[in-house]
Amino acid sequence: MKYKSYAILLVILILIILSGRNPTEPTTTNSSLAPDKTAPNFTLQSNQGPVSLTDFQGKGVILFFGYTNCPDVCPTGLSTLTQALKQLPKATQQQLQPIFITLDPTVDTPSRLSEYLQYFHPNFIGLSSNQHTLQQVTQDYHVIYKRQPQSNSEFDFIQHTAYFYLISPTGNLSQYLPHQSSITSLKKALSMLVKTKQKELI
Amino acid sequence: MKTLISSALLLSSLFIATPSLACDDHKLEVSGSYVREMPPASKNTAAYMQLKNTTDKPLKLLEVQSDIAKKIELHNIVNVDGVLKMQPQPYIEIAANDTLTLKPGGYHVMIMGVKKQLKQGEDVKMTLKFEGGMTKDLTAPVKSIVPKSAKAGHSGT
């Protein structure tokens, strides 16, 4: 009998935890991730050592979460982002820092990420970490992801939310765009992102 | 008696299926097929194409075969509360007199465990298998999704 009530308590607890998560969009009632608020900082590993978000103060940051074995969603998003970047004037490109954070750290080592991302754009930085740190970062950015096991584990997929998080040169989350955004709308958003720097300086 | 009838039915259906075993181009047209070039370090890619069903009956694509990969499946990307899930499909149906486009972010041919990194300029041979025994051979070019010639300030889309 005692165990039964414990079980009920546990179920209620789980339900409470689950109900607190809102997977629909990366912004929720949690004020830590809202437009115009400081984007949560992180320190993760690149192939050239640790990298923090605060290292890029003064630049517009485009943050994207994914994994290199992603067969459709990530390559599509990265391709759009690459094309948007390449179509911007060189000066604007230099004020932008695209960052890719892996959701599959056991496979995606920093060097593997670097090799993968070079294919898209030489300016990309790829970041990996241990599961624990990654869990914190994905939680901060409201990224929902889950391994989708296949019959042969070699072919596991990861379900994930796919947004471009645009972070202003002063470190505020400016906006987030879905990965299927058009090159044109992404280009426009990136130009605006860099302009916020000038506006804030005046 | 029952089994006799069902086996007779089964046999006759085999005979009916036989004439259409070789692909009938008048039934299905494939256009714009390509396989996405693979970034280094990735093992998976996808094939995309347009499938035009010119008959007045729906056609079911059951399987795609090719010797370039360990495993090929039919998939769809489904957005569930903002989370993108890849859903394996037992078949992809092309409605009567309709065209279905397999494209990034939607239905696609999932190519997993590719034996050799595919580069632009190469061709991939594959066979589409449909319900009823119809097959369609096709050669899809490998295409880059990142235009390599794009330079700063270049406005081509």
Side-chain angles (χ1 to χ4, degrees):
Chain A
M1 197 56 199
K2 206 173 170 191
Y3 287 112
K4 204 177 168 187
S5 51
Y6 273 133
I8 292 168
L9 257 176
L10 189 71
V11 168
I12 291 171
L13 197 69
I14 291 169
L15 283 175
I16 291 170
I17 293 167
L18 287 177
S19 65
R21 309 199 72 178
N22 179 3
T24 41
E25 287 189 337
T27 49
T28 68
T29 47
N30 184 343
S31 58
S32 66
L33 190 76
D36 299 326
K37 293 253 174 154
T38 306
N41 192 29
F42 51 77
T43 302
L44 301 166
Q45 292 298 321
S46 78
N47 67 332
Q48 289 175 347
V51 165
S52 301
L53 177 64
T54 47
D55 295 346
F56 304 102
Q57 288 277 343
K59 274 190 172 189
V61 171
I62 310 115
L63 207 59
F64 190 70
F65 293 83
Y67 65 110
T68 64
N69 275 335
C70 185
D72 184 85
V73 171
C74 301
T76 306
L78 289 171
S79 158
T80 309
L81 177 57
T82 300
Q83 292 179 67
L85 284 170
K86 285 186 174 174
Q87 289 176 22
L88 288 167
K90 259 235 149 71
T92 312
Q93 283 187 56
Q94 281 163 357
Q95 292 174 285
L96 290 164
Q97 180 57 60
I99 298 177
F100 182 87
I101 298 178
T102 185
L103 297 172
D104 193 9
T106 46
V107 173
D108 290 340
T109 58
S111 64
R112 182 187 166 111
L113 284 169
S114 164
E115 195 188 354
Y116 176 78
L117 292 167
Q118 283 301 303
Y119 171 84
F120 292 96
H121 197 285
N123 290 0
F124 272 110
I125 291 178
L127 300 178
S128 187
S129 177
N130 56 49
Q131 286 285 5
H132 177 74
T133 312
L134 193 72
Q135 205 172 337
Q136 185 60 53
V137 180
T138 50
Q139 218 171 319
D140 287 348
Y141 281 90
H142 298 190
V143 178
I144 309 289
Y145 69 108
K146 194 183 166 207
R147 198 166 278 274
Q148 193 176 343
Q150 302 295 300
S151 51
N152 180 343
S153 65
E154 191 191 347
F155 302 123
D156 277 4
F157 299 118
I158 296 171
Q159 312 166 351
H160 61 101
T161 43
Y163 291 93
F164 296 113
Y165 297 82
L166 307 191
I167 298 163
S168 79
T170 50
N172 288 345
L173 179 72
S174 166
Q175 61 169 318
Y176 55 88
L177 295 168
H179 88 286
Q180 310 99 318
S181 302
S182 70
I183 297 172
T184 315
S185 60
L186 197 55
K187 217 165 73 177
K188 207 178 281 174
L190 293 179
S191 305
M192 287 280 288
L193 186 69
V194 173
K195 276 184 194 143
T196 57
K197 185 187 175 186
Q198 291 155 355
K199 221 164 56 189
E200 282 156 4
L201 287 175
I202 292 167
Chain B
M1 190 57 190
K2 218 173 176 184
T3 47
L4 197 73
I5 292 172
S6 58
S7 40
L9 276 172
L10 191 75
L11 262 177
S12 59
S13 70
L14 275 177
F15 282 113
I16 294 163
T18 313
S20 60
L21 268 173
C23 179
D24 187 345
D25 273 339
H26 301 298
K27 285 186 174 172
L28 182 95
E29 291 163 19
V30 182
S31 60
S33 67
Y34 70 98
V35 174
R36 188 172 47 70
E37 185 180 47
M38 297 166 71
S42 67
K43 280 187 272 177
N44 304 331
T45 188
Y48 306 102
M49 64 195 74
Q50 281 193 335
L51 300 170
K52 187 179 178 189
N53 178 4
T54 55
T55 70
D56 50 12
K57 284 193 182 119
L59 276 175
K60 280 182 182 175
L61 173 64
L62 301 179
E63 200 187 336
V64 175
Q65 292 182 333
S66 174
D67 58 9
I68 59 152
K70 290 185 190 164
K71 203 172 173 188
I72 298 182
E73 287 180 359
L74 303 173
H75 279 198
N76 193 13
I77 302 270
V78 186
N79 189 329
V80 183
D81 294 334
V83 181
L84 300 159
K85 295 182 179 179
M86 284 238 289
Q87 292 192 334
Q89 308 286 310
Y91 58 84
I92 293 175
E93 186 170 292
I94 308 122
N97 296 305
D98 203 0
T99 302
L100 185 83
T101 305
L102 310 190
K103 59 176 189 291
Y107 284 111
H108 58 275
V109 178
M110 179 77 252
I111 305 173
M112 294 174 280
V114 182
K115 294 165 185 169
K116 179 186 142 282
Q117 194 191 337
L118 295 171
K119 295 262 190 201
Q120 187 166 14
E122 294 174 343
D123 286 323
V124 175
K125 280 191 166 57
M126 56 182 94
T127 302
L128 311 184
K129 297 204 159 186
F130 293 86
E131 189 179 54
M134 184 177 85
T135 64
K136 170 99 181 164
D137 290 331
L138 97 114
T139 303
V142 176
K143 282 193 184 174
S144 168
I145 48 163
V146 182
K148 292 190 171 72
S149 58
K151 291 263 164 32
H154 179 76
S155 59
T157 42

